[in-house]
Amino acid sequence: MNQFTPDLSLQQTLVRRSSIQLTCILIISLLSFAGWMFSISWLKHPFSGLVAMNPLSSICFVLLVVALQFKMQKESSRKKQTIADYISLFVLAIAFSKLVSIVFNIDYSLDQLLFAEQVTADVVGGFTNSMAPNTAFCFGLLSISLLFFGKLKRFFLVVSQVANVLALMIAVFSILGYIFGAEEFYEVQDFVPMAISSGICFLLLALAILFALPGVGIMQQLTS
């Protein structure tokens, strides 16, 4: 078989798996948000003794899932594509504002807007459950990836997939860090570490973006 002959069956399977992964992200994110909303500890902390997913992170995951769903629809209207781009820009702005607050040591940031008292009071390992810097960075990367999603010009495709793979690698290292107890993999200096549930969601979302376009870029090589 020629290496550029597409394996259509495999590509269709990956697209279906992409939808399943998005559903998993929605479930994890909404359960975490419900834990904050209704003060249910085991929903906020499914892994006892570890930091929880920040409520704003939950919202960002849901928004990016919606954006990708709009992008994936074959008959998607220009209006839906535009909405998806605005959603991606909104999440990118949130991520950027968080990173700016960290770099310039600003005490207040957007991740303290939702359930502020609970987030401040919920301390694990000396950390309050604000959005971690590597979490904000991953949201920024995946927002950029979605902004250029489906654009087949070489520059846009490269930017989209490079940003996506970087987020994927950060998520993988974060999860491995929790598994093997290597804090350096999921914690940035003295800042709150990325929650393991966030790492799982980033992994699923990065793979879902790749699987949603199985016939282009690096995925073309893997599905041929």
Short mmCIF file of all heavy atoms in Angstrom, two decimals, residues 125-190:
data_model
loop_
_atom_site.label_atom_id
_atom_site.label_comp_id
_atom_site.label_asym_id
_atom_site.label_seq_id
_atom_site.Cartn_x
_atom_site.Cartn_y
_atom_site.Cartn_z
N GLY A 125 -2.05 20.85 50.33
CA GLY A 125 -0.59 20.91 50.22
C GLY A 125 -0.05 22.32 50.24
O GLY A 125 1.01 22.61 49.66
N GLY A 126 -0.78 23.22 50.88
CA GLY A 126 -0.35 24.61 50.96
C GLY A 126 -0.77 25.46 49.77
O GLY A 126 -0.43 26.64 49.70
N PHE A 127 -1.53 24.86 48.85
CA PHE A 127 -1.96 25.58 47.65
C PHE A 127 -3.48 25.78 47.67
O PHE A 127 -4.22 24.86 47.98
CB PHE A 127 -1.60 24.80 46.38
CG PHE A 127 -0.13 24.61 46.16
CD1 PHE A 127 0.45 23.37 46.37
CD2 PHE A 127 0.67 25.66 45.76
CE1 PHE A 127 1.81 23.17 46.15
CE2 PHE A 127 2.03 25.48 45.55
CZ PHE A 127 2.60 24.23 45.76
N THR A 128 -3.92 26.99 47.31
CA THR A 128 -5.34 27.20 47.03
C THR A 128 -5.60 26.77 45.59
O THR A 128 -4.69 26.74 44.76
CB THR A 128 -5.74 28.67 47.20
OG1 THR A 128 -4.94 29.47 46.32
CG2 THR A 128 -5.54 29.14 48.63
N ASN A 129 -6.86 26.46 45.28
CA ASN A 129 -7.18 25.90 43.97
C ASN A 129 -7.40 26.97 42.91
O ASN A 129 -8.45 27.03 42.27
CB ASN A 129 -8.39 24.97 44.06
CG ASN A 129 -7.99 23.59 44.53
OD1 ASN A 129 -7.27 22.88 43.86
ND2 ASN A 129 -8.44 23.23 45.73
N SER A 130 -6.39 27.81 42.71
CA SER A 130 -6.43 28.73 41.58
C SER A 130 -5.95 27.98 40.33
O SER A 130 -5.52 26.83 40.42
CB SER A 130 -5.54 29.95 41.86
OG SER A 130 -4.21 29.53 42.12
N MET A 131 -6.04 28.64 39.19
CA MET A 131 -5.60 27.99 37.96
C MET A 131 -4.08 27.97 37.91
O MET A 131 -3.42 28.98 38.09
CB MET A 131 -6.15 28.75 36.74
CG MET A 131 -5.86 28.07 35.41
SD MET A 131 -6.40 29.04 33.96
CE MET A 131 -8.19 28.99 34.15
N ALA A 132 -3.51 26.80 37.67
CA ALA A 132 -2.05 26.65 37.63
C ALA A 132 -1.48 27.30 36.38
O ALA A 132 -2.16 27.38 35.35
CB ALA A 132 -1.69 25.16 37.65
N PRO A 133 -0.22 27.77 36.43
CA PRO A 133 0.38 28.39 35.24
C PRO A 133 0.47 27.45 34.05
O PRO A 133 0.23 27.87 32.91
CB PRO A 133 1.77 28.82 35.73
CG PRO A 133 2.00 28.08 37.00
CD PRO A 133 0.67 27.84 37.60
N ASN A 134 0.80 26.17 34.29
CA ASN A 134 0.86 25.23 33.16
C ASN A 134 -0.54 24.92 32.62
O ASN A 134 -0.71 24.63 31.44
CB ASN A 134 1.62 23.96 33.52
CG ASN A 134 1.26 23.39 34.87
OD1 ASN A 134 0.49 23.98 35.62
ND2 ASN A 134 1.81 22.24 35.19
N THR A 135 -1.55 25.02 33.49
CA THR A 135 -2.93 24.86 33.03
C THR A 135 -3.32 26.02 32.11
O THR A 135 -3.87 25.81 31.03
CB THR A 135 -3.90 24.82 34.23
OG1 THR A 135 -3.60 23.68 35.05
CG2 THR A 135 -5.35 24.73 33.77
N ALA A 136 -3.01 27.25 32.54
CA ALA A 136 -3.30 28.42 31.71
C ALA A 136 -2.57 28.34 30.38
O ALA A 136 -3.12 28.68 29.32
CB ALA A 136 -2.92 29.70 32.46
N PHE A 137 -1.31 27.89 30.41
CA PHE A 137 -0.51 27.79 29.20
C PHE A 137 -1.14 26.78 28.23
O PHE A 137 -1.21 27.02 27.01
CB PHE A 137 0.92 27.38 29.55
CG PHE A 137 1.87 27.43 28.39
CD1 PHE A 137 2.09 28.61 27.70
CD2 PHE A 137 2.56 26.29 28.00
CE1 PHE A 137 2.98 28.66 26.62
CE2 PHE A 137 3.44 26.33 26.92
CZ PHE A 137 3.65 27.51 26.24
N CYS A 138 -1.60 25.65 28.75
CA CYS A 138 -2.25 24.64 27.90
C CYS A 138 -3.55 25.16 27.30
O CYS A 138 -3.85 24.90 26.12
CB CYS A 138 -2.53 23.37 28.70
SG CYS A 138 -1.09 22.32 28.94
N PHE A 139 -4.32 25.91 28.09
CA PHE A 139 -5.54 26.51 27.54
C PHE A 139 -5.20 27.46 26.39
O PHE A 139 -5.89 27.50 25.37
CB PHE A 139 -6.31 27.26 28.63
CG PHE A 139 -7.21 26.40 29.45
CD1 PHE A 139 -7.16 26.43 30.84
CD2 PHE A 139 -8.14 25.55 28.85
CE1 PHE A 139 -7.99 25.63 31.61
CE2 PHE A 139 -8.97 24.75 29.62
CZ PHE A 139 -8.90 24.78 30.99
N GLY A 140 -4.13 28.23 26.57
CA GLY A 140 -3.70 29.13 25.50
C GLY A 140 -3.31 28.37 24.25
O GLY A 140 -3.71 28.74 23.13
N LEU A 141 -2.54 27.30 24.41
CA LEU A 141 -2.10 26.51 23.26
C LEU A 141 -3.27 25.88 22.52
O LEU A 141 -3.35 25.93 21.28
CB LEU A 141 -1.14 25.40 23.73
CG LEU A 141 0.25 25.85 24.19
CD1 LEU A 141 1.01 24.68 24.80
CD2 LEU A 141 1.05 26.43 23.02
N LEU A 142 -4.21 25.30 23.27
CA LEU A 142 -5.34 24.62 22.62
C LEU A 142 -6.31 25.62 22.00
O LEU A 142 -6.96 25.32 21.00
CB LEU A 142 -6.05 23.71 23.62
CG LEU A 142 -5.23 22.49 24.05
CD1 LEU A 142 -5.97 21.66 25.09
CD2 LEU A 142 -4.87 21.62 22.86
N SER A 143 -6.40 26.82 22.58
CA SER A 143 -7.23 27.87 21.97
C SER A 143 -6.65 28.27 20.61
O SER A 143 -7.38 28.42 19.63
CB SER A 143 -7.29 29.09 22.88
OG SER A 143 -7.91 28.78 24.11
N ILE A 144 -5.33 28.42 20.56
CA ILE A 144 -4.66 28.75 19.29
C ILE A 144 -4.86 27.62 18.29
O ILE A 144 -5.14 27.85 17.10
CB ILE A 144 -3.17 29.00 19.53
CG1 ILE A 144 -2.98 30.29 20.33
CG2 ILE A 144 -2.40 29.08 18.21
CD1 ILE A 144 -1.57 30.52 20.83
N SER A 145 -4.74 26.38 18.76
CA SER A 145 -4.94 25.23 17.88
C SER A 145 -6.33 25.23 17.27
O SER A 145 -6.50 24.96 16.07
CB SER A 145 -4.70 23.93 18.66
OG SER A 145 -4.86 22.80 17.83
N LEU A 146 -7.34 25.57 18.08
CA LEU A 146 -8.71 25.59 17.58
C LEU A 146 -8.98 26.77 16.65
O LEU A 146 -9.78 26.66 15.72
CB LEU A 146 -9.70 25.61 18.75
CG LEU A 146 -9.96 24.26 19.41
CD1 LEU A 146 -10.87 24.42 20.62
CD2 LEU A 146 -10.57 23.28 18.43
N LEU A 147 -8.31 27.89 16.90
CA LEU A 147 -8.49 29.05 16.02
C LEU A 147 -8.09 28.72 14.59
O LEU A 147 -8.70 29.20 13.63
CB LEU A 147 -7.67 30.23 16.53
CG LEU A 147 -8.27 31.05 17.68
CD1 LEU A 147 -7.25 32.04 18.20
CD2 LEU A 147 -9.53 31.78 17.22
N PHE A 148 -7.05 27.88 14.44
CA PHE A 148 -6.56 27.53 13.11
C PHE A 148 -7.04 26.15 12.66
O PHE A 148 -6.59 25.65 11.64
CB PHE A 148 -5.03 27.59 13.08
CG PHE A 148 -4.47 28.96 13.33
CD1 PHE A 148 -3.57 29.19 14.36
CD2 PHE A 148 -4.84 30.04 12.54
CE1 PHE A 148 -3.06 30.46 14.60
CE2 PHE A 148 -4.34 31.30 12.77
CZ PHE A 148 -3.44 31.51 13.80
N PHE A 149 -7.94 25.55 13.43
CA PHE A 149 -8.45 24.22 13.11
C PHE A 149 -9.17 24.22 11.76
O PHE A 149 -10.00 25.09 11.49
CB PHE A 149 -9.43 23.78 14.21
CG PHE A 149 -10.03 22.41 13.99
CD1 PHE A 149 -9.41 21.29 14.50
CD2 PHE A 149 -11.23 22.26 13.30
CE1 PHE A 149 -9.96 20.04 14.32
CE2 PHE A 149 -11.78 21.02 13.11
CZ PHE A 149 -11.14 19.90 13.61
N GLY A 150 -8.82 23.27 10.91
CA GLY A 150 -9.50 23.14 9.62
C GLY A 150 -8.94 24.01 8.53
O GLY A 150 -9.33 23.87 7.36
N LYS A 151 -8.02 24.92 8.87
CA LYS A 151 -7.39 25.76 7.84
C LYS A 151 -6.21 24.98 7.27
O LYS A 151 -5.26 24.68 7.98
CB LYS A 151 -6.94 27.09 8.44
CG LYS A 151 -8.09 27.93 8.99
CD LYS A 151 -7.57 29.25 9.50
CE LYS A 151 -8.60 30.16 10.14
NZ LYS A 151 -9.98 29.91 9.99
N LEU A 152 -6.28 24.65 5.98
CA LEU A 152 -5.32 23.73 5.39
C LEU A 152 -4.08 24.41 4.81
O LEU A 152 -3.19 23.72 4.29
CB LEU A 152 -6.01 22.88 4.31
CG LEU A 152 -7.19 22.04 4.82
CD1 LEU A 152 -7.76 21.18 3.71
CD2 LEU A 152 -6.77 21.16 6.00
N LYS A 153 -4.01 25.74 4.85
CA LYS A 153 -2.78 26.39 4.45
C LYS A 153 -1.65 25.95 5.38
O LYS A 153 -1.85 25.84 6.59
CB LYS A 153 -2.94 27.92 4.50
CG LYS A 153 -3.78 28.48 3.37
CD LYS A 153 -3.77 30.00 3.40
CE LYS A 153 -4.59 30.56 2.22
NZ LYS A 153 -4.59 32.04 2.21
N ARG A 154 -0.49 25.69 4.81
CA ARG A 154 0.60 25.07 5.56
C ARG A 154 0.92 25.80 6.86
O ARG A 154 1.06 25.17 7.90
CB ARG A 154 1.85 24.98 4.68
CG ARG A 154 3.01 24.27 5.36
CD ARG A 154 4.18 24.07 4.42
NE ARG A 154 5.28 23.39 5.09
CZ ARG A 154 5.35 22.08 5.28
NH1 ARG A 154 4.37 21.30 4.85
NH2 ARG A 154 6.37 21.54 5.88
N PHE A 155 1.00 27.13 6.83
CA PHE A 155 1.36 27.88 8.03
C PHE A 155 0.35 27.66 9.14
O PHE A 155 0.71 27.36 10.29
CB PHE A 155 1.46 29.38 7.71
CG PHE A 155 1.64 30.24 8.92
CD1 PHE A 155 2.89 30.35 9.53
CD2 PHE A 155 0.57 30.93 9.47
CE1 PHE A 155 3.06 31.13 10.66
CE2 PHE A 155 0.73 31.72 10.60
CZ PHE A 155 1.99 31.82 11.20
N PHE A 156 -0.95 27.80 8.82
CA PHE A 156 -2.00 27.63 9.82
C PHE A 156 -2.02 26.20 10.37
O PHE A 156 -2.21 25.98 11.56
CB PHE A 156 -3.36 27.98 9.24
CG PHE A 156 -3.49 29.43 8.83
CD1 PHE A 156 -4.09 29.78 7.64
CD2 PHE A 156 -3.01 30.44 9.64
CE1 PHE A 156 -4.22 31.11 7.27
CE2 PHE A 156 -3.13 31.77 9.29
CZ PHE A 156 -3.73 32.10 8.09
N LEU A 157 -1.83 25.23 9.46
CA LEU A 157 -1.84 23.83 9.88
C LEU A 157 -0.69 23.53 10.83
O LEU A 157 -0.88 22.86 11.86
CB LEU A 157 -1.75 22.93 8.64
CG LEU A 157 -1.79 21.42 8.89
CD1 LEU A 157 -3.08 21.02 9.57
CD2 LEU A 157 -1.62 20.66 7.57
N VAL A 158 0.49 24.04 10.50
CA VAL A 158 1.66 23.81 11.36
C VAL A 158 1.47 24.45 12.72
O VAL A 158 1.73 23.83 13.76
CB VAL A 158 2.94 24.35 10.68
CG1 VAL A 158 4.11 24.37 11.67
CG2 VAL A 158 3.30 23.52 9.46
N VAL A 159 1.00 25.70 12.75
CA VAL A 159 0.77 26.39 14.03
C VAL A 159 -0.24 25.62 14.88
O VAL A 159 -0.03 25.40 16.08
CB VAL A 159 0.28 27.84 13.79
CG1 VAL A 159 -0.19 28.47 15.11
CG2 VAL A 159 1.37 28.68 13.18
N SER A 160 -1.34 25.20 14.25
CA SER A 160 -2.39 24.48 14.97
C SER A 160 -1.87 23.19 15.57
O SER A 160 -2.08 22.90 16.76
CB SER A 160 -3.56 24.19 14.03
OG SER A 160 -4.56 23.44 14.69
N GLN A 161 -1.15 22.41 14.77
CA GLN A 161 -0.73 21.09 15.26
C GLN A 161 0.46 21.18 16.21
O GLN A 161 0.54 20.39 17.16
CB GLN A 161 -0.43 20.18 14.07
CG GLN A 161 -1.68 19.85 13.27
CD GLN A 161 -1.55 18.60 12.42
OE1 GLN A 161 -0.47 18.21 12.02
NE2 GLN A 161 -2.67 17.96 12.14
N VAL A 162 1.36 22.13 16.00
CA VAL A 162 2.47 22.31 16.95
C VAL A 162 1.94 22.72 18.32
O VAL A 162 2.36 22.18 19.35
CB VAL A 162 3.49 23.34 16.42
CG1 VAL A 162 4.46 23.75 17.52
CG2 VAL A 162 4.26 22.77 15.23
N ALA A 163 1.01 23.70 18.34
CA ALA A 163 0.41 24.13 19.61
C ALA A 163 -0.29 22.97 20.29
O ALA A 163 -0.19 22.78 21.52
CB ALA A 163 -0.57 25.28 19.36
N ASN A 164 -0.99 22.16 19.50
CA ASN A 164 -1.73 21.03 20.04
C ASN A 164 -0.80 19.97 20.63
O ASN A 164 -1.03 19.46 21.73
CB ASN A 164 -2.58 20.41 18.93
CG ASN A 164 -3.57 19.41 19.47
OD1 ASN A 164 -4.53 19.77 20.15
ND2 ASN A 164 -3.35 18.15 19.18
N VAL A 165 0.28 19.65 19.90
CA VAL A 165 1.22 18.64 20.38
C VAL A 165 1.95 19.11 21.63
O VAL A 165 2.21 18.31 22.55
CB VAL A 165 2.23 18.27 19.26
CG1 VAL A 165 3.35 17.39 19.80
CG2 VAL A 165 1.51 17.54 18.12
N LEU A 166 2.27 20.41 21.72
CA LEU A 166 2.89 20.94 22.93
C LEU A 166 1.98 20.76 24.15
O LEU A 166 2.43 20.34 25.22
CB LEU A 166 3.23 22.42 22.75
CG LEU A 166 4.47 22.74 21.91
CD1 LEU A 166 4.59 24.25 21.70
CD2 LEU A 166 5.73 22.20 22.57
N ALA A 167 0.69 21.08 23.98
CA ALA A 167 -0.27 20.89 25.07
C ALA A 167 -0.39 19.41 25.43
O ALA A 167 -0.49 19.05 26.61
CB ALA A 167 -1.63 21.45 24.67
N LEU A 168 -0.37 18.56 24.41
CA LEU A 168 -0.44 17.11 24.64
C LEU A 168 0.74 16.63 25.47
O LEU A 168 0.58 15.85 26.42
CB LEU A 168 -0.48 16.39 23.29
CG LEU A 168 -0.46 14.86 23.30
CD1 LEU A 168 -1.70 14.32 23.99
CD2 LEU A 168 -0.37 14.31 21.88
N MET A 169 1.94 17.11 25.15
CA MET A 169 3.14 16.70 25.88
C MET A 169 3.10 17.17 27.33
O MET A 169 3.46 16.42 28.25
CB MET A 169 4.38 17.26 25.18
CG MET A 169 4.67 16.63 23.83
SD MET A 169 6.03 17.45 22.95
CE MET A 169 7.38 17.17 24.09
N ILE A 170 2.64 18.41 27.56
CA ILE A 170 2.53 18.92 28.93
C ILE A 170 1.55 18.07 29.73
O ILE A 170 1.80 17.73 30.89
CB ILE A 170 2.09 20.40 28.92
CG1 ILE A 170 3.18 21.27 28.30
CG2 ILE A 170 1.78 20.88 30.34
CD1 ILE A 170 2.75 22.72 28.06
N ALA A 171 0.43 17.70 29.10
CA ALA A 171 -0.58 16.88 29.78
C ALA A 171 -0.02 15.50 30.12
O ALA A 171 -0.22 14.98 31.23
CB ALA A 171 -1.82 16.75 28.89
N VAL A 172 0.68 14.90 29.17
CA VAL A 172 1.25 13.57 29.40
C VAL A 172 2.26 13.61 30.54
O VAL A 172 2.24 12.76 31.45
CB VAL A 172 1.92 13.04 28.11
CG1 VAL A 172 2.75 11.79 28.41
CG2 VAL A 172 0.87 12.72 27.06
N PHE A 173 3.16 14.61 30.53
CA PHE A 173 4.15 14.71 31.59
C PHE A 173 3.49 14.96 32.94
O PHE A 173 3.95 14.45 33.97
CB PHE A 173 5.15 15.83 31.28
CG PHE A 173 6.29 15.38 30.41
CD1 PHE A 173 6.33 15.71 29.06
CD2 PHE A 173 7.32 14.62 30.93
CE1 PHE A 173 7.37 15.29 28.25
CE2 PHE A 173 8.38 14.19 30.13
CZ PHE A 173 8.40 14.53 28.78
N SER A 174 2.42 15.76 32.94
CA SER A 174 1.70 16.02 34.19
C SER A 174 1.12 14.73 34.77
O SER A 174 1.27 14.44 35.96
CB SER A 174 0.58 17.03 33.94
OG SER A 174 -0.18 17.23 35.11
N ILE A 175 0.47 13.94 33.93
CA ILE A 175 -0.12 12.69 34.38
C ILE A 175 0.96 11.72 34.86
O ILE A 175 0.83 11.08 35.91
CB ILE A 175 -0.97 12.06 33.26
CG1 ILE A 175 -2.17 12.95 32.95
CG2 ILE A 175 -1.45 10.66 33.66
CD1 ILE A 175 -2.92 12.56 31.69
N LEU A 176 2.06 11.62 34.09
CA LEU A 176 3.17 10.75 34.50
C LEU A 176 3.77 11.22 35.82
O LEU A 176 4.18 10.41 36.66
CB LEU A 176 4.25 10.74 33.41
CG LEU A 176 3.89 10.01 32.11
CD1 LEU A 176 5.03 10.16 31.09
CD2 LEU A 176 3.63 8.53 32.37
N GLY A 177 3.81 12.54 36.02
CA GLY A 177 4.33 13.08 37.26
C GLY A 177 3.52 12.62 38.46
O GLY A 177 4.07 12.26 39.51
N TYR A 178 2.19 12.63 38.31
CA TYR A 178 1.34 12.14 39.40
C TYR A 178 1.52 10.65 39.61
O TYR A 178 1.56 10.17 40.75
CB TYR A 178 -0.13 12.45 39.08
CG TYR A 178 -0.55 13.85 39.47
CD1 TYR A 178 -0.76 14.82 38.50
CD2 TYR A 178 -0.73 14.20 40.80
CE1 TYR A 178 -1.16 16.11 38.85
CE2 TYR A 178 -1.13 15.47 41.17
CZ TYR A 178 -1.33 16.43 40.19
OH TYR A 178 -1.71 17.70 40.55
N ILE A 179 1.64 9.89 38.53
CA ILE A 179 1.76 8.44 38.64
C ILE A 179 3.06 8.05 39.35
O ILE A 179 3.08 7.16 40.22
CB ILE A 179 1.70 7.78 37.25
CG1 ILE A 179 0.30 7.94 36.65
CG2 ILE A 179 2.05 6.29 37.33
CD1 ILE A 179 0.18 7.46 35.22
N PHE A 180 4.16 8.72 38.99
CA PHE A 180 5.47 8.35 39.52
C PHE A 180 5.95 9.27 40.64
O PHE A 180 7.09 9.14 41.10
CB PHE A 180 6.50 8.32 38.38
CG PHE A 180 6.22 7.27 37.35
CD1 PHE A 180 5.75 7.61 36.09
CD2 PHE A 180 6.38 5.92 37.64
CE1 PHE A 180 5.48 6.66 35.14
CE2 PHE A 180 6.12 4.94 36.69
CZ PHE A 180 5.66 5.31 35.43
N GLY A 181 5.10 10.21 41.06
CA GLY A 181 5.47 11.09 42.16
C GLY A 181 6.55 12.09 41.83
O GLY A 181 7.31 12.51 42.72
N ALA A 182 6.64 12.48 40.55
CA ALA A 182 7.64 13.46 40.12
C ALA A 182 6.97 14.83 40.04
O ALA A 182 6.38 15.18 39.02
CB ALA A 182 8.23 13.06 38.78
N GLU A 183 7.07 15.62 41.10
CA GLU A 183 6.38 16.90 41.17
C GLU A 183 6.83 17.87 40.08
O GLU A 183 6.06 18.72 39.64
CB GLU A 183 6.59 17.54 42.54
CG GLU A 183 5.95 16.77 43.70
CD GLU A 183 6.17 17.46 45.02
OE1 GLU A 183 6.83 18.54 45.04
OE2 GLU A 183 5.69 16.94 46.04
N GLU A 184 8.08 17.73 39.64
CA GLU A 184 8.61 18.64 38.62
C GLU A 184 7.83 18.55 37.32
O GLU A 184 7.86 19.48 36.51
CB GLU A 184 10.08 18.31 38.34
CG GLU A 184 11.01 18.52 39.53
CD GLU A 184 11.01 17.32 40.48
OE1 GLU A 184 10.31 16.33 40.18
OE2 GLU A 184 11.70 17.40 41.51
N PHE A 185 7.12 17.44 37.10
CA PHE A 185 6.39 17.24 35.85
C PHE A 185 5.05 17.97 35.82
O PHE A 185 4.52 18.24 34.76
CB PHE A 185 6.16 15.74 35.60
CG PHE A 185 7.37 15.01 35.08
CD1 PHE A 185 8.60 15.63 35.01
CD2 PHE A 185 7.27 13.69 34.67
CE1 PHE A 185 9.72 14.96 34.54
CE2 PHE A 185 8.38 13.01 34.20
CZ PHE A 185 9.61 13.65 34.13
N TYR A 186 4.47 18.24 37.00
CA TYR A 186 3.15 18.87 37.01
C TYR A 186 3.09 20.15 37.84
O TYR A 186 2.05 20.79 37.90
CB TYR A 186 2.08 17.89 37.52
CG TYR A 186 2.31 17.34 38.92
CD1 TYR A 186 1.92 18.07 40.04
CD2 TYR A 186 2.89 16.10 39.12
CE1 TYR A 186 2.11 17.58 41.32
CE2 TYR A 186 3.09 15.58 40.39
CZ TYR A 186 2.70 16.33 41.48
OH TYR A 186 2.90 15.83 42.74
N GLU A 187 4.22 20.53 38.43
CA GLU A 187 4.24 21.73 39.27
C GLU A 187 5.29 22.70 38.75
O GLU A 187 6.43 22.30 38.48
CB GLU A 187 4.54 21.35 40.72
CG GLU A 187 4.48 22.50 41.69
CD GLU A 187 4.71 22.05 43.13
OE1 GLU A 187 4.34 20.90 43.46
OE2 GLU A 187 5.28 22.83 43.91
N VAL A 188 4.92 23.97 38.60
CA VAL A 188 5.84 25.00 38.12
C VAL A 188 6.32 25.81 39.31
O VAL A 188 5.55 26.58 39.91
CB VAL A 188 5.15 25.93 37.10
CG1 VAL A 188 6.13 27.00 36.63
CG2 VAL A 188 4.64 25.13 35.92
N GLN A 189 7.58 25.60 39.69
CA GLN A 189 8.20 26.29 40.83
C GLN A 189 7.30 26.21 42.06
O GLN A 189 6.91 25.13 42.47
CB GLN A 189 8.53 27.73 40.43
CG GLN A 189 9.59 27.82 39.33
CD GLN A 189 9.96 29.23 39.00
OE1 GLN A 189 9.32 30.20 39.40
NE2 GLN A 189 11.04 29.40 38.23
N ASP A 190 6.96 27.38 42.63
CA ASP A 190 6.18 27.37 43.88
C ASP A 190 4.71 27.67 43.65
O ASP A 190 4.00 28.06 44.58
CB ASP A 190 6.76 28.39 44.87
CG ASP A 190 8.18 28.04 45.29
OD1 ASP A 190 8.48 26.84 45.40
OD2 ASP A 190 8.99 28.97 45.48
#
